Amino acid sequence: MYSKEHLPELGEFLKECRAQLSPRTVGLPETGSSRRLPGLRREEVARLLGISTHAYARLEQGRAPVPRSVLAALVRVLHLDDDQREHLLGLAASGGYEPRRRPVQKVHPQLRRVLDELTTTPALVLGRQLDILAWNPLAAALLTDFALVPEKKRNYARLLFTDPAYRDLYLDWRTNARICVAHLRMEAARRPGDPGLTALVGELSVADAEFRQWWAGRPMTGLRMGTKRLRHPLVGDLTLDWDSLTCTADPEQKLVISTADPGSPSHDGLLFLASWNAAPHTPARDAAA
């Protein structure tokens, strides 16, 4: 049994992925005839999958679930990256999900130890729906004093969309905000009807028109790494590369770190901020602190 609620979104996702491919990309000969729309034709995708054009059309029309036997072939034929693959699997997942209250997340002990060792690198641990589970002192000095944020409000997306100071900090706010929306959409696909996520999406949809527009728009691929530009009141403009590392023991927790090229003005800015903020034996903080 499949969750029919996500079949239309699944169909739109398949169409979007098909539109990004060309015959040459998937090893098909160029016919020379003009195409009315960009990308592969439905019959070409169906032929590569080994199913009928009618069967594939039903998938894109949101009229049928993706058979398990076709999922792996779709990932291969549509050249999906890791994030797109996760999104597809979430949308195509079997139904029967029953919303229930899940245990409150606590930062994994190994991630806490890593945070304690990172003294010149800002780092956060993000949990389900981008809840902020833990942070080190430099992350607080760079972004905000998370200890002053009520625990139930300590969420990265919520801060990004509702805190004016947080919004002003990001020179590329729109890019980072859209990445947040993409991550939330991927989680919604994996866990349709999750009460906590439903409440968060509802809150942000009321609070911010752009969130409402992006949530209702076409899916955007989430990212596990990228670059962000900040304007910090103490050290000025910073360009930082961020990366997220999934905790093997608890895949719903990710360590997010921000770094800069050694010797660059941004790296010097982080070192200055770390020395300015330094205090003897200052440990990492978490939501329970």
Side-chain angles (χ1 to χ4, degrees):
M1 177 175 133
Y2 284 79
S3 173
K4 294 182 179 180
E5 175 186 354
H6 290 281
L7 290 182
E9 186 177 352
L10 186 150
E12 288 298 319
F13 178 69
L14 292 179
K15 284 191 283 188
E16 182 179 343
C17 292
R18 175 168 63 87
Q20 295 173 1
L21 298 174
S22 67
R24 180 177 299 176
T25 303
V26 297
L28 293 176
E30 296 281 359
T31 62
S33 59
S34 61
R35 292 174 180 256
R36 185 170 58 88
L37 296 173
L40 295 178
R41 298 187 175 103
R42 280 180 177 172
E43 56 267 28
E44 291 171 331
V45 175
R47 186 161 69 251
L48 291 168
L49 291 173
I51 62 177
S52 70
T53 302
H54 175 72
Y56 181 73
R58 285 174 57 83
L59 299 182
E60 286 200 355
Q61 292 163 358
R63 297 167 55 199
V66 178
R68 292 183 183 275
S69 58
V70 176
L71 275 174
L74 272 172
V75 173
R76 172 179 52 80
V77 168
L78 296 178
H79 291 232
L80 303 186
D81 61 25
D82 289 342
D83 287 330
Q84 290 172 321
R85 174 182 175 277
E86 285 188 21
H87 191 59
L88 172 66
L89 294 180
L91 290 173
S94 58
Y97 175 79
E98 297 181 1
R100 60 184 176 84
R101 187 175 297 277
R102 289 181 281 171
V104 175
Q105 278 187 298
K106 302 295 182 183
V107 61
H108 194 276
Q110 288 178 253
L111 293 186
R112 166 172 292 288
R113 290 197 293 270
V114 173
L115 283 177
D116 287 337
E117 294 295 326
L118 295 174
T119 57
T120 60
T121 300
L124 300 169
V125 175
L126 300 181
R128 296 187 294 260
Q129 64 210 35
L130 302 181
D131 286 337
I132 299 169
L133 304 182
W135 59 93
N136 66 2
L138 188 52
L142 177 67
L143 300 174
T144 192
D145 189 348
F146 298 108
L148 299 180
V149 180
E151 183 177 345
K152 291 185 177 180
K153 298 291 185 181
R154 212 175 281 156
N155 176 277
Y156 190 83
R158 180 183 284 111
L159 288 172
L160 203 58
F161 280 97
T162 66
D163 187 330
Y166 216 72
R167 185 184 291 241
D168 291 343
L169 178 67
Y170 283 83
L171 294 174
D172 49 1
W173 178 86
R174 289 174 63 86
T175 299
N176 285 273
R178 296 202 69 174
I179 291 172
C180 278
V181 174
H183 281 292
L184 293 180
R185 289 190 66 152
M186 289 171 62
E187 183 158 350
R190 287 193 294 268
R191 292 183 174 273
D194 179 88
L197 182 57
T198 299
L200 176 64
V201 169
E203 175 190 342
L204 297 184
S205 295
V206 171
D208 190 271
E210 287 182 294
F211 180 92
R212 187 164 58 248
Q213 174 189 346
W214 295 334
W215 184 263
R218 282 191 163 189
M220 171 186 170
T221 302
L223 295 176
R224 289 187 171 88
M225 59 185 300
T227 301
K228 58 187 176 185
R229 297 183 301 117
L230 307 176
R231 177 157 290 163
H232 193 274
L234 181 62
V235 296
D237 290 0
L238 299 171
T239 299
L240 304 177
D241 297 319
W242 64 270
D243 204 341
S244 60
L245 310 174
T246 300
C247 177
T248 303
D250 182 358
E252 291 190 320
Q253 296 190 31
K254 291 180 173 60
L255 176 68
V256 182
I257 58 175
S258 300
T259 60
D261 288 332
S264 68
S266 294
H267 186 257
D268 293 341
L270 285 182
L271 293 179
F272 179 81
L273 191 60
S275 63
W276 180 275
N277 189 65
H281 309 297
T282 303
R285 300 291 299 273
D286 64 54

